[in-house]
Amino acid sequence: ITETQVTAITPKQVNEVVWFNNNETKKYSLTQPMFIKGDPYYVIVESGRIVPGNILIEIAKDGSIVETLITSIHSDEALYNVYQFSCEPQDWFIAGGYLVHNK
């Protein structure tokens, strides 16, 4: 586990969000960069490009890594408030339990 500091929070509105494996409590803008398991390294993919069969990197409360197989993807076209976090010194953080990148 490492620490990073949020240096800025930029709000914006989007017209569509996506969530995975029927978990509506973890919604992401279509452009949120997320880490998925690649071969052999983790790669960063925008959430709107994730497909069933991809494996998201989830971080458990104890800091352990859980590889979560994506079995279903859902989206909703409505107006949503989302936030872009800028972080230092790391360019990644945990959002909704998943490892994400801060563009």
Side-chain angles (χ1 to χ4, degrees):
I1 297 178
T2 186
E3 290 186 18
T4 194
Q5 181 177 357
V6 175
T7 58
I9 301 172
T10 306
K12 73 175 190 177
Q13 291 187 323
V14 296
N15 293 319
E16 187 174 8
V17 294
V18 64
W19 63 93
F20 307 101
N21 297 346
N22 297 314
N23 190 343
E24 290 188 56
T25 64
K26 300 178 181 184
K27 295 180 179 179
Y28 302 89
S29 71
L30 297 179
T31 59
Q32 175 61 58
M34 303 182 81
F35 287 82
I36 64 171
K37 184 177 182 178
D39 184 23
Y41 305 106
Y42 294 152
V43 295
I44 300 170
V45 175
E46 287 185 345
S47 61
R49 295 178 172 254
I50 292 173
V51 297
N54 284 154
I55 297 173
L56 283 174
I57 308 308
E58 194 165 359
I59 308 300
K61 290 185 182 202
D62 66 1
S64 61
I65 296 172
V66 178
E67 296 179 347
T68 302
L69 176 67
I70 300 306
T71 58
S72 64
I73 300 171
H74 302 276
S75 64
D76 183 24
E77 293 182 10
L79 194 59
Y80 284 91
N81 293 318
V82 297
Y83 303 88
Q84 179 178 333
F85 292 89
S86 297
C87 302
E88 292 295 335
Q90 307 303 328
D91 290 327
W92 43 268
F93 60 97
I94 300 166
Y98 292 123
L99 188 60
V100 301
H101 197 275
N102 73 331
K103 291 191 195 186

